[in-house]
Amino acid sequence: MDKVVPSAAEAVADIADGATLAVGGFGLCGVPFGLIEALLAQGTSGLTTISNNCGVDDQALGVLLYAGRITKTISSFVGGNKELARLYLSGQLEVELTPQGSLAERLRAGGTGIPAFYTPTGVGTLVAEGGIPVRYDADGNVVATSPPKEVRRFGDTDYVLETALTADFGLVRAAVGDRHGNLVFAASARNFNPLAAMAGRVTIAEVEELVEPGEIPPEQVHLPGVYVQRVVAVTDPARPIEKRTTRPRRAPGTPAAAGDETTEA
């Protein structure tokens, strides 16, 4: 039952070329940076990744993109990654776009043994009708597009059939984990992490705090250890910020700028 692995390098050692990875995170929030860096150092290539946005330029999964290790990604939002756009449009990367909610449910379905489901999301668009560019050639010509999907009417509403997603490995990040693999995620870092963990046949969790079994109250467990096969404690967890949106504090007594709110004592 003790699932702790001494290092990230040992945890990812059996991830072979051509593997499919379900990776948690949203932007740079809740990303398993340690496992990704270990995979980069290992040299694994030809990867297919399932993630919300496949990294942010040269951070998170972006480091694997820049190193040419990813050949296909199944993602929802790719507009924040210039290298992904370059690889995609030059024929070096296959991209399967899927609506964000559908991506989440496809992962959850894969983790619970549901092969497919119907959703109204995407009906009447290229998501259902097919034709979204999946691969370009080196000259920028579209050489492969998404196929049409089954659409079925229930009551007075049309629904499109989406298939489940599973992966060879799930890579996730948690705030707290015990030796049995029970995980607790911090606030919005929960995002796609539980879903990626559920979809992985072998799931590896890097945790910021490793505790003993029983220290996490059962009602506080966000993801039970049945979905996790390996646990790695990260001693210096990275928490990069994608975009800073704060502004300098005003000195006491300084009038508020237009749009600011002030409170009189």
Side-chain angles (χ1 to χ4, degrees), residues 19 29 62 75 85 99 104 112 116 140 149 170 181 185 192 195 255:
C29 179
S75 297
T112 53
K149 298 175 182 177
F185 303 96
F192 278 85
L195 307 170

Side-chain angles (χ1 to χ4, degrees), residues 28 56 59 239-248:
L28 297 181
V56 178
Q59 298 185 77
R239 294 190 185 91
I241 297 174
E242 183 178 349
K243 294 182 180 181
R244 294 185 181 273
T245 57
T246 57
R247 56 189 170 192

Side-chain angles (χ1 to χ4, degrees), residues 26-82:
F26 189 109
L28 297 181
C29 179
V31 173
F33 292 100
L35 296 175
I36 291 171
E37 290 291 342
L39 200 56
L40 176 69
Q42 179 174 297
T44 309
S45 62
L47 296 169
T48 294
T49 58
I50 308 170
S51 68
N52 177 61
N53 58 318
C54 202
V56 178
D57 286 333
D58 60 347
Q59 298 185 77
L61 281 176
V63 300
L64 294 176
L65 275 175
Y66 272 79
R69 307 290 178 78
I70 299 175
T71 56
K72 178 180 178 179
T73 185
I74 302 173
S75 297
S76 171
F77 173 68
V78 298
N81 193 319
K82 296 177 182 177

Side-chain angles (χ1 to χ4, degrees), residues 30-170:
V31 173
F33 292 100
L35 296 175
I36 291 171
E37 290 291 342
L39 200 56
L40 176 69
Q42 179 174 297
T44 309
S45 62
L47 296 169
T48 294
T49 58
I50 308 170
S51 68
N52 177 61
N53 58 318
C54 202
V56 178
D57 286 333
D58 60 347
Q59 298 185 77
L61 281 176
V63 300
L64 294 176
L65 275 175
Y66 272 79
R69 307 290 178 78
I70 299 175
T71 56
K72 178 180 178 179
T73 185
I74 302 173
S75 297
S76 171
F77 173 68
V78 298
N81 193 319
K82 296 177 182 177
E83 179 64 5
L84 186 149
R86 186 188 71 80
L87 293 171
Y88 175 41
L89 296 175
S90 63
Q92 301 176 67
L93 179 70
E94 185 174 327
V95 177
E96 180 181 331
L97 293 171
T98 186
Q100 195 167 88
S102 298
L103 177 63
E105 184 64 7
R106 291 178 72 188
L107 288 167
R108 192 195 70 84
T112 53
I114 298 171
F117 58 92
Y118 286 99
T119 173
T121 303
V123 171
T125 74
L126 293 180
V127 170
E129 297 167 2
I132 299 174
V134 171
R135 179 176 288 280
Y136 291 83
D137 63 18
D139 297 321
N141 302 305
V142 177
V143 295
T145 61
S146 63
K149 298 175 182 177
E150 177 187 337
V151 176
R152 183 173 174 183
R153 179 167 285 260
F154 294 89
D156 58 357
T157 304
D158 288 332
Y159 296 82
V160 60
L161 183 69
E162 292 282 5
T163 55
L165 289 170
T166 57
D168 299 314
F169 293 87

Side-chain angles (χ1 to χ4, degrees), residues 214-263:
E215 290 190 45
I216 304 174
E219 68 275 11
Q220 294 182 16
V221 172
H222 292 151
L223 185 79
V226 67
Y227 290 110
V228 179
Q229 284 68 50
R230 301 171 195 167
V231 177
V232 180
V234 289
T235 56
D236 184 23
R239 294 190 185 91
I241 297 174
E242 183 178 349
K243 294 182 180 181
R244 294 185 181 273
T245 57
T246 57
R247 56 189 170 192
R249 292 179 179 273
R250 298 194 308 273
T254 303
D260 285 351
E261 294 183 359
T262 59
T263 302

